[in-house]
Amino acid sequence: METALTKLTGVRHPIVQTGMGWVAGPRLVSATARAGALGILASATMTLDELRRAVREVTSRTDAPFGVNLRADAGDARDRVRIIIDEGVRVASFALAPSRELIAELKDAGVIVIPSIGARRHAEKVAAWGADALIVQGGEGGGHTGDVATTVLLPQVVDAVDIPVIAAGGFHDGRGLVAALAYGAAGIAMGTRFLLTSDSTVPDAVKARYLAATVKDITVTTAVDGLPHRMLRSELVDSLERASRTRALAQAVRRAAGFKKISGLSWSRMIRDGLAMKHGKDLTWSQVLLAANTPMLLRASMVEGRTDLGVMASGQVAGLIEDLPSCEELVGRMMSEAAMVLGGLVPPPRPFP
């Protein structure tokens, strides 16, 4: 199936595996790439050396195109861009809109730039700055999300820009791919569906929590870091929503200390990152700390399997997923289903004279 996305990136199928922190590592990304989709490494939870090693590990496993996801507001974003360029990575994606200067630096080096956005005005801005394509995530999507449904946001963005648009939020099968194409998208991006594969390194007990979840078990909360965050409801989410400000601050400091030890970041750097997220938002100090060390809360679940101590970012689509195929099985199944759906559509009527 050839679309503007496959022609732009060189992948065989118009499907993107998103850059999920602690989840989208070399194993999942290389498996996705070998399956013919676009795998995206999550770099925000890696040091610079870890990122370089991860990129090299993927390239040692496959010669298929893949990408790296960056935090545009990270203090070392330019250093990460340099690694992407030096290592010959095909695609750079961004969780937040990158600056005009970062886009230009990447494009000058031949790297394809694909930011993720959640509003039409942001799409128009990054398109004007030179982005090659963009991922538009509706409110159904996991992690930090907005409140506009994909079915409303996607056609808005498709009509507003003249670059390929990749739809995210609520997709998990071939039917969704066909629906997105009908809206004018060039493909779809999925996070939760790729998390729930046999190639994902997420502990089995955590995957079981996702598979057992219903649509109503997936909530949006601002208690973690002050921003709307879609995730599985858990003991931690409940406790944060019930906690007083004093107790929440104490919990945040304790978890921040843990993240500081693992990441090697200084307290000043963590506070600076948290304040960057606080800018223009009414966050408490506990939320500022949590914003800076949210990766630690994700790590507790996605790496250590501690669902009682961590958060489990999730799209609503987790309530529809019931199995753990390999990436190859998943992508092949989706493309076969998409072909069947397309083949079953009634031919369009002839236009009136």
Side-chain angles (χ1 to χ4, degrees), residues 18-19 29 53 60 66 69 130 154 180 228 245 249 253 276 279 291 301 314 323 351:
T18 60
V29 171
R53 288 196 298 269
S60 73
F66 69 96
N69 180 258
L154 176 59
R245 286 201 170 194
L249 180 59
V253 170
H279 181 67
S301 292
S314 176
D323 61 350

Side-chain angles (χ1 to χ4, degrees), residues 17-34 38-46 50-59 61-62 66-69 191 194-195 197 199-202 302-303 327:
Q17 163 253 303
T18 60
M20 300 163 281
W22 305 115
V23 178
R27 186 170 114 179
L28 180 61
V29 171
S30 57
T32 301
R34 288 195 301 268
L38 182 64
I40 304 290
L41 270 173
S43 81
T45 53
M46 299 177 185
E50 287 170 343
L51 172 57
R52 193 179 293 275
R53 288 196 298 269
V55 168
R56 292 178 177 178
E57 183 175 345
V58 176
T59 55
R61 294 183 178 196
T62 179
F66 69 96
V68 170
N69 180 258
F194 277 104
L195 183 157
T197 60
D199 294 305
S200 162
T201 58
V202 172
M302 301 304 158
V303 177
C327 290

Side-chain angles (χ1 to χ4, degrees), residues 48-121:
L48 294 176
D49 288 341
E50 287 170 343
L51 172 57
R52 193 179 293 275
R53 288 196 298 269
V55 168
R56 292 178 177 178
E57 183 175 345
V58 176
T59 55
S60 73
R61 294 183 178 196
T62 179
D63 57 2
F66 69 96
V68 170
N69 180 258
L70 308 170
R71 260 185 54 188
D73 61 343
D76 59 359
R78 194 166 295 278
D79 295 327
R80 294 173 184 269
V81 164
R82 180 46 51 188
I83 291 174
I84 288 175
I85 294 172
D86 291 346
E87 298 295 330
V89 175
R90 178 74 169 160
V91 173
S93 73
F94 289 87
L96 298 171
S99 67
R100 189 194 302 265
E101 292 72 25
L102 278 183
I103 293 176
E105 183 175 352
L106 286 160
K107 287 174 66 70
D108 287 346
V111 180
I112 297 165
V113 180
I114 307 180
S116 296
I117 59 90
R120 174 178 173 169
R121 67 183 185 279

